[in-house]
Amino acid sequence: MKVEISKRNIITNVEQWHQFAPPKDSDKHWKEGRSAMSLAQFMTNSKQIKKLEDLLKEWGYDTSGTIKCTPEANTNLPGTGGGRNHDLLMVGKDFVVGIEAKVTETFGNPISMELFGATENKSLRINTLAKDLLGCGVNEKNEHLRYQLLTGIMGTFYEAKSKSKPKALFLVIVFTDAITSKDYKVVQNNNKDFEEFCKYLGLTSDGGEIERDGIKLDIKKIEISLAD
């Protein structure tokens, strides 16, 4: 699988990734063992990319040609203001992949907390996203779901729609190398949050496929060790 990583400039190594596409609050998040640097290490290593290629092929994605990859890509969401920031957006021949990288970072706040004291614009955004993905506005049955999963999945879908791609994949990659026994509870909570979101969509705890506006949208989570 040939990937071309760029953000204003071509990126071929971890240092360039940090230079041209640093994460928000770089001083806090750009560290060894954190998700941002782990993703950069993963995507700039040909042996690691082969792992991703094998998975994409297994899931039915055509990895021929050049896959365009943009770290910290931004997708407009309903309403005004900042959109969805993908840790990495990949665009292939007939698909897009929105990657959310994790080590021990959480999936952010529940939807209910994002709505608390929200502006009219943000409330409209959240309820529009919920209707588009969950089939209804925010209510007592779905307000506990994690907002980052809502924006991540829908941001990936919107990218596929705007680029006229028939397939989309929202992929959570958990990098396991820096996870220690003291992180067990955080990781378990993350797993639970992902599973609950998937189950609300009628999927298994491991994710699966839904369809929106003729686009096949996959939701998956994998674990990766950079040491393998």
Side-chain angles (χ1 to χ4, degrees), residues 111-112 115 126-127 130-131 136-140 142-143 150:
I111 294 173
S112 59
L115 274 173
I126 293 173
N127 278 286
K131 288 175 184 176
C136 62
V138 179
N139 57 46
E140 68 277 1
N142 58 35
E143 64 181 9
L150 176 64

Side-chain angles (χ1 to χ4, degrees), residues 60-193:
Y61 291 90
D62 183 355
T63 61
S64 63
T66 300
I67 313 296
K68 301 285 187 177
C69 303
T70 307
E72 299 297 322
N74 188 270
T75 300
N76 290 330
L77 297 177
T80 59
R84 156 67 181 172
N85 251 45
H86 306 269
D87 289 335
L88 184 72
L89 184 69
M90 305 176 67
V91 182
K93 182 182 292 186
D94 64 349
F95 66 88
V96 300
V97 179
I99 291 180
E100 179 66 33
K102 296 294 181 195
V103 177
T104 58
E105 301 89 345
T106 71
F107 289 112
N109 293 326
I111 294 173
S112 59
M113 287 186 64
E114 292 291 333
L115 274 173
F116 184 77
T119 63
E120 182 178 348
N121 176 71
K122 186 170 183 179
S123 295
L124 175 64
R125 166 178 287 187
I126 293 173
N127 278 286
T128 301
L129 291 170
K131 288 175 184 176
D132 285 351
L133 181 60
L134 308 178
C136 62
V138 179
N139 57 46
E140 68 277 1
K141 294 183 179 180
N142 58 35
E143 64 181 9
H144 68 288
L145 300 176
R146 294 288 164 165
Y147 183 61
Q148 190 182 80
L149 290 171
L150 176 64
T151 59
I153 294 168
M154 288 308 297
T156 303
F157 166 76
Y158 291 146
E159 284 290 342
K161 191 172 184 179
S162 69
K163 292 175 170 58
S164 299
K165 305 293 185 181
K167 297 180 182 179
L169 167 63
F170 174 72
L171 179 62
V172 178
I173 301 180
V174 181
F175 294 101
T176 59
D177 303 88
I179 296 175
T180 65
S181 57
K182 69 178 182 180
D183 302 316
Y184 177 79
K185 186 174 182 180
V186 174
V187 173
Q188 287 298 102
N189 286 339
N190 280 352
N191 290 339
K192 180 181 177 182
D193 290 335

